[in-house]
């Protein structure tokens, strides 16, 4: 039933919230609730620090992550807020193509928001991406 | 750790200040990709105040700090409360360095500063000496380039700068060289200046010349035999050009290095790739390194040679390894003899690698400084002299280099370039007196170099010894009877050519004649520097192509000037001649000289 699924979900998300606040990980990505009052723990914000020695270096990329009601059984919905030119990210609205990111394409419920963010960051370091010309810093998708 | 409730007694003085702002103090962890610090801050503070604390702790400017918490960027106007930042939580910090610097914290000193600064990665480190040395080998050409660069074995210049050091009191050559290196290391500006020297750049833009120079080095030839790939590289003009471009542009160099690293690390991940790499290393890099250790002048170029070979093929591995051996460090093995034997003057300056033993040019270099200085009798000088006599091989080798000879000749004909070369030596810059002396003395001994007899004298160890004795005698005489030194300049000058050849060698980088080198060595007061420099450069070029020479005695050359001087009323023809020789034919300077010696 819905209630039974909610407990593990909220549990999970609260855990992720705490991890985000405690800075678990290597410090290159960050995540947290978009709105602290959001009791459903659905809307999240993520931040990826552009990896060095790539075209993304020194930039901070803001993302929106949405964890639906069936999370973590289903992957979250991810989109970039900061404009970026990256394979697998729609140029027009920053939506991340689930098929392009293996963490999303082959989602497991042990994965987390952190995993997705870190994977996106890894993608930035790929040969095919690391030199893509980027829009000027600070631009965001408006839709 | 910190308690949530109540006012924590000041954890540090900051806490006091923060407490004044009201509210409880909380401990917040600030984390960068490299670093982690705990900062005490009032929970009511604003982000701006928090940043203030952070900037103190991380030693960065406040406006360089970007704070991220829970996926959101903290704006200065926000409060910590607003974002829910509580005690024990972690905030991410990104320190923005200059536009093109590494992302994340500044702890990645990938530093835009070109050249020698020790970069965060050994590869970059290895990359830097190569361009520097390549530039050197290629000849620290230009006046400034020569001695200042570390690992500059090529130009005997490095040695001349030693003599400047002597002038400054240090009698230990190795120390001097180390000083020089240190100076350069700590001042990457110098290197960039050097690189920007149009002379250097011009030299480096001539791939053929570069290749010639490199090939002329026997060590290099050996290396090439052992590793045919290297000769491929050298023979590929495109590659050469690219390499030189690289060497010229340190930023590009770093870029290239990074790409190399990336390529290599990719290679590693391929199954069997690691082994291939390892093989590469043993096959290519080791011989290169050993060649380098014997002869630092070689390696940088070889290392560089590897880099343009972007395919990840063999030599590319080179610069990825540890930094090149410290040329200025304590000598590994090789005695002067080993080095001397079979190495031309260019590489001889191996002094660097040798460490303890001054190179061939050294003793000679010392000679020039000592003239009229009394430095001649310094312990360093004497040990040098000893070494010269002990190692006649060195001298011979140095002098027998064909280009050496022609260099000397061209230089002799044009003392201006020599003086410019010397003047631009950064080490010299600190000692104007020495500069003055050298400037005056240069033209004279350059004359000497024209004299083939002088050359043969230099190659004859016993003759050298005799000369030394005479010189010492002269020195004594000078101190005992100062008024009795008519020709004291002549003799010591003979020794100088050894040092000077190093200089011309560097300048000889066969600059294209179009070069307006005048712009580079601006310090020389020589009149008409431009045309004469160009002339010299052309001569140098010809030199490499087989050389031509013309010799004239000073009297003939300065015939016109002598006449002018006598017309002005300077009737002492000998003094006139001396003055003219000393000033290289510059009448005005000669007049000053003459007037200086006859106060009236």
């Amino acid at each position: 039933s819905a209630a039974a699924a909610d407990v593990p979900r909220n549990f999970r998300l609260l855990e992720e919230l705490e991890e985000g606040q405690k800075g678990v990980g290597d410090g290159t990505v960050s995540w947290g609730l978009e709105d602290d009052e959001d009791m459903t723990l659905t809307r999240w914000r993520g931040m990826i620090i552009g990896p060095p020695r790539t075209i993304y270096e020194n930039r901070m990329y803001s993302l929106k992550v949405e964890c639906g009601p069936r999370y973590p059984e289903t992957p979250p919905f991810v989109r970039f807020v900061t404009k970026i030119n990256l394979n697998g990210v729609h140029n027009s609205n920053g939506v991340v193509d689930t098929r392009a990111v293996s963490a999303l394409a082959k989602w497991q419920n042990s994965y987390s928001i952190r995993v997705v963010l870190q994977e996106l960051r890894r993608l930035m370091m790929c040969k095919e991406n690391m030199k893509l010309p980027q829009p000027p810093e600070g631009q965001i998708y408006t839709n | 750790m910190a308690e949530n409730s109540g006012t924590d007694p000041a954890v540090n003085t900051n806490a006091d200040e923060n407490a004044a702002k009201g509210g409880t103090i909380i401990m917040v962890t600030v984390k960068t990709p490299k670093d982690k610090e705990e900062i005490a801050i009032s929970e009511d503070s604003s982000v701006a105040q928090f940043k203030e604390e952070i900037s103190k702790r991380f030693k960065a400017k406040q406006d360089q700090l970007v704070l991220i918490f829970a996926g959101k960027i903290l704006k200065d106007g926000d409060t910590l409360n607003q974002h829910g930042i509580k005690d024990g939580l972690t905030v991410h910090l990104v320190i923005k360095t200059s536009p093109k610097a590494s992302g994340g914290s500044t702890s990645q000193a990938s530093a835009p500063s070109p050249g020698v600064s020790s970069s965060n990665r050994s590869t970059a480190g290895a990359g830097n000496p190569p361009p520097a040395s390549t530039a050197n080998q290629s000849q620290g050409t230009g006046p400034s380039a020569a001695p200042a660069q570390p690992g500059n074995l090529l130009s005997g210049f490095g040695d001349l700068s030693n003599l400047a050091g002597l002038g400054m009191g240090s009698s230990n050559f190795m120390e001097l060289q180390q000083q020089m290196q240190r100076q350069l290391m700590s001042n990457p500006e110098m290197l960039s200046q050097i690189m920007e020297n149009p002379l250097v750049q011009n030299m480096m833009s001539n791939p053929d010349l570069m290749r010639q120079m490199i090939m002329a080095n026997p060590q290099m030839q050996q290396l090439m035999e052992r590793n045919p790939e290297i000769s491929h590289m050298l023979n590929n003009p495109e590659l050469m050009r690219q390499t030189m471009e690289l060497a010229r542009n340190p930023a590009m160099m770093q870029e290239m290095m990074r790409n190399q690293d990336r390529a290599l690390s990719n290679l590693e991940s391929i199954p069997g790739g690691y082994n291939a790499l390892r093989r590469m290393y043993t096959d290519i890099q080791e011989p290169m390194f050993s060649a380098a250790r014997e002869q630092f002048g070689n390696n940088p170029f070889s290392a560089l040679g590897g880099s343009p070979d972007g395919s990840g093929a063999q030599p590319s591995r080179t610069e990825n390894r540890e930094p090149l051996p410290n040329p200025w460090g304590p000598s590994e093995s090789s005695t002067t003899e080993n080095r001397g034997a079979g190495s031309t003057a260019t590489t001889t300056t191996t002094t660097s690698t040798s460490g303890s033993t001054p190179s061939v040019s050294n003793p000679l270099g010392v000679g020039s400084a000592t003239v009229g200085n009394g430095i001649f009798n310094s312990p360093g000088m004497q040990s040098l002299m000893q070494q010269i006599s002990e190692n006649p091989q060195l001298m011979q080798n140095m002098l027998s280099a064909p280009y050496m000879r022609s260099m000397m000749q061209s230089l002799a004909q044009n003392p201006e370039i020599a003086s410019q070369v010397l003047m631009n030596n950064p080490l010299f810059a600190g000692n104007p007196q020495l500069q003055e002396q050298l400037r005056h003395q240069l033209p004279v001994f350059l004359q000497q170099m024209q004299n083939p007899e002088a050359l043969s004298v230099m190659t004859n160890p016993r003759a050298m010894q005799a000369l030394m004795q005479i010189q010492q005698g002269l020195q004594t005489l000078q101190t005992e009877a100062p008024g009795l030194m008519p020709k004291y300049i002549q003799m010591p000058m003979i020794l100088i050519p050894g040092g000077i050849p190093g200089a011309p060698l560097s300048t000889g980088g066969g600059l294209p004649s179009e070069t307006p080198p005048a712009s580079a060595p601006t310090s020389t007061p020589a009149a008409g520097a431009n045309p004469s420099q160009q002339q010299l450069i052309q001569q140098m070029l010809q030199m490499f192509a087989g050389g031509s020479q013309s010799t004239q005695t000073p009297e003939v050359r300065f015939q016109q000037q002598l006449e002018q001087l006598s017309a002005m009323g300077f009737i002492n023809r000998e003094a006139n001649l001396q003055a003219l020789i000393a000033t290289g034919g510059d009448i005005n300077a000669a007049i000053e000289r003459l007037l200086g010696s006859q106060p009236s």
Side-chain angles (χ1 to χ4, degrees), chain A residues 21-23 25 30 33-34 57, chain B residues 31 70-72 90 102-103 262:
Chain A
Q21 293 180 334
K22 293 214 173 119
S30 174
L33 275 180
E34 162 121 42
E57 181 172 21
Chain B
K31 202 171 170 188
K72 297 201 201 108
T90 299
S102 52
R262 197 168 305 283

Side-chain angles (χ1 to χ4, degrees), chain A residues 37-101:
Chain A
E37 310 294 315
D38 178 10
M39 291 300 135
T40 63
L41 305 173
T42 307
R43 274 172 300 282
W44 294 70
R45 277 298 196 128
M47 187 78 62
I48 299 179
I49 299 172
R53 296 197 294 272
T54 68
I55 194 110
Y56 309 97
E57 181 172 21
N58 232 15
R59 295 207 195 186
M60 264 141 313
Y61 292 93
S62 182
L63 298 90
K64 282 203 221 218
V65 180
E66 224 173 83
C67 298
R70 287 219 287 277
Y71 182 89
E73 302 301 319
T74 53
F77 173 69
V78 186
R79 61 183 286 183
F80 273 84
V81 171
T82 313
K83 279 204 180 163
I84 186 172
N85 184 8
L86 182 71
N87 277 312
V89 178
H90 284 259
N91 259 325
S92 56
N93 54 13
V95 170
V96 174
D97 186 349
T98 319
R99 298 159 298 178
V101 181

Side-chain angles (χ1 to χ4, degrees), chain B residues 480-503:
Chain B
E480 298 296 324
L484 215 61
M485 299 264 68
K487 296 265 185 112
Y488 79 100
I489 291 182
Q490 302 291 332
M491 297 288 276
M493 290 303 186
I494 293 177
L495 288 176
I496 296 164
I500 287 301

Side-chain angles (χ1 to χ4, degrees), chain A residues 21-23 25-27 29-34 36 45-47 49 52-53 57-58 60 127 130-131 137, chain B residues 31 33 66 68-73 83 89-90 92 94 96-97 99 101-103 108 121 258-259 262 266:
Chain A
Q21 293 180 334
K22 293 214 173 119
D26 59 4
V29 298
S30 174
W31 62 98
L33 275 180
E34 162 121 42
D36 285 330
R45 277 298 196 128
M47 187 78 62
I49 299 172
R53 296 197 294 272
E57 181 172 21
N58 232 15
M60 264 141 313
K127 258 195 144 49
M130 65 186 281
K131 290 205 173 136
E137 214 171 329
Chain B
K31 202 171 170 188
V66 179
I68 297 169
F69 178 69
K72 297 201 201 108
I73 292 186
H83 286 277
L89 297 185
T90 299
H92 293 290
V94 175
K96 276 181 167 288
T97 48
S102 52
Q108 258 191 354
R121 314 161 49 209
R258 289 185 198 137
N259 288 343
R262 197 168 305 283
N266 284 343

Side-chain angles (χ1 to χ4, degrees), chain B residues 298-320:
Chain B
N298 247 343
N299 190 35
F301 194 88
S302 335
L304 243 201
S307 84
D309 203 350
S311 63
Q314 300 107 348
S316 63
R317 185 73 156 170
T318 316
E319 60 275 2
N320 282 339

Side-chain angles (χ1 to χ4, degrees), chain B residues 238-311:
Chain B
E238 196 42 55
L239 215 54
M240 295 277 295
R241 211 163 287 124
Q242 196 180 4
T243 307
M244 282 180 335
E245 191 56 45
L246 275 185
R248 234 207 307 218
N249 184 347
M252 217 159 91
M253 189 67 193
Q254 285 189 343
E255 182 67 41
M256 177 72 73
M257 291 298 182
R258 289 185 198 137
N259 288 343
Q260 283 298 309
D261 288 337
R262 197 168 305 283
L264 281 175
S265 48
N266 284 343
L267 257 188
E268 274 188 23
S269 54
I270 298 171
Y274 180 72
N275 289 333
L277 283 178
R278 180 114 76 70
R279 250 180 291 126
M280 250 164 48
Y281 172 79
T282 32
D283 289 341
I284 279 115
Q285 187 183 15
E286 280 183 15
M288 275 199 185
F289 267 143
S290 29
R293 248 174 251 119
E294 300 164 15
Q295 196 59 86
F296 185 78
N298 247 343
N299 190 35
F301 194 88
S302 335
L304 243 201
S307 84
D309 203 350
S311 63

